[in-house]
Amino acid sequence: MRTAASFEIEYLQYLAPDGTLAAPLPPAVPDAAALLPIFKQMLFLRTFDGKAIALQRTGKLGTYAACLGHEATHVGIGASMQAEDVFAPSYREYGAQFARGMRPREVLMYWGGDERGNLLTGAPAHDYPWCVPISTQMLMASGAALSFKLRKQNRVAVAVCGDGGSSKTDFYAAVNSAGAFHLPLVLCVVNNGWAISVPRKAQTGAETLAQKGLAGGLHCLQVDGNDLIAVLEAMRRAHERARNGEGGSVIEFLTYRLHDHTTADDARRYRDDAEVKAAWEKEPFLRLRKYLADAGLWDDAQEKAWIEACGKRVDEEINAYLNTPVQPVEAMFDYLYAELPEDLQAQRAEALAREGRA
């Protein structure tokens, strides 16, 4: 019997859950000090996340999707990108978005839309609008990557979906196009264990989600997504391949959703408490804090001062959000198309007429 094909999926982990090195530092991280500014971004993100949840609980924000537990993956993805690259996220990757120039107030404006009528119109020009459904963004990114190749631009497109999103046809189409056209594309699958209430084991029979990229001929990695060092190294490898004309990558980041899917969800109805407790022991912030403290780069006084600074900055963003005037009704039409289709022109006129502004 002959073997038509065989494969292995490499797994990356450098920082163990107890905060000690499981392997020597990789090229992406020359020394422990290089991690400090990114760690501070993670702490800012956790501060923002907690205050956003509080806003929702007090009726000042619509539904909100927390990113608790995802900080290393999200911030690491954003920190690895160049300004000229394109980012196509879904709805939870605030850490990467902040690194790309998105302001926290704009995230709040999106989630506050149902309550306050706000529309997000200030996304950075080099990125797609930040919130798109499930996995269509993977195809958007593959289109951007194709344009980079045709124009001979040394740029990379990065897209993010969840474990559930990797089961969608958009994801598979992006994988196929990236392989067929040899695109500078990095497809990031953030596997947090749950597609809302559907567990990973019920979504696919594949041993890993990373291996889904093999069918398209892409380079595939599985990464400890709670290990910032591993995230940075995986992204470094993928970007290097893309910029050197070696094609696209699929990276599966293993992490865990420590909060409910959104503030409209109650994960206690489908998740076991023991599972969540075990996940807290592997979360990204504590292990990195211990590593930096052991290296003499972080202490309680620094953390207290930085948390205070983060709180002030987030409060400024919250106040800017709360003081933002409600957008006029026509804004929902004016920022959709360069040239508004006739049927939407009629709807726009009707909306204005109802307000007596025809």
Side-chain angles (χ1 to χ4, degrees), residues 43 51 55 82 84 150 187 285 313-314:
L43 189 49
K51 286 181 175 283
L55 273 179
Q82 300 296 319
E84 66 271 15
L150 294 175
L187 300 176
F285 176 74
R313 180 182 165 197
V314 173

Side-chain angles (χ1 to χ4, degrees), residues 44-203:
F44 173 80
L45 180 59
R46 187 161 287 195
T47 303
F48 167 79
D49 205 51
K51 286 181 175 283
I53 293 171
L55 273 179
Q56 192 280 330
R57 298 304 191 208
T58 55
K60 297 177 181 178
L61 197 64
T63 301
Y64 175 77
C67 61
L68 185 65
H70 301 70
E71 294 92 350
T73 292
H74 292 173
V75 173
I77 289 172
S80 301
M81 297 180 65
Q82 300 296 319
E84 66 271 15
D85 296 335
V86 159
F87 186 45
S90 56
Y91 51 81
R92 201 189 300 273
E93 294 83 39
Y94 316 126
Q97 282 293 83
F98 294 162
R100 301 292 293 159
M102 179 72 72
R103 294 176 297 178
R105 69 187 68 176
E106 292 169 329
V107 171
L108 297 174
M109 286 170 66
Y110 173 81
W111 289 112
D114 290 342
E115 298 294 329
R116 303 183 68 248
N118 289 314
L119 292 175
L120 177 63
T121 60
H126 50 265
D127 285 347
Y128 288 110
W130 74 276
C131 187
V132 289
I134 310 303
S135 66
T136 55
Q137 67 274 18
M138 313 308 268
L139 276 174
M140 295 178 184
S142 69
L146 178 58
S147 76
F148 300 159
K149 182 172 183 178
L150 294 175
R151 297 173 182 176
K152 295 180 170 56
Q153 297 174 336
N154 189 23
R155 303 169 67 188
V156 179
V158 177
V160 182
C161 72
D163 41 295
S166 75
S167 299
K168 299 282 287 182
T169 54
D170 307 285
F171 174 81
Y172 288 107
V175 166
N176 192 64
S177 62
F181 300 115
H182 216 59
L183 301 181
L185 178 65
V186 182
L187 300 176
C188 302
V189 180
V190 181
N191 180 1
N192 64 19
W194 293 87
I196 307 182
S197 60
V198 180
R200 153 69 173 88
K201 63 184 179 181
Q203 296 178 48

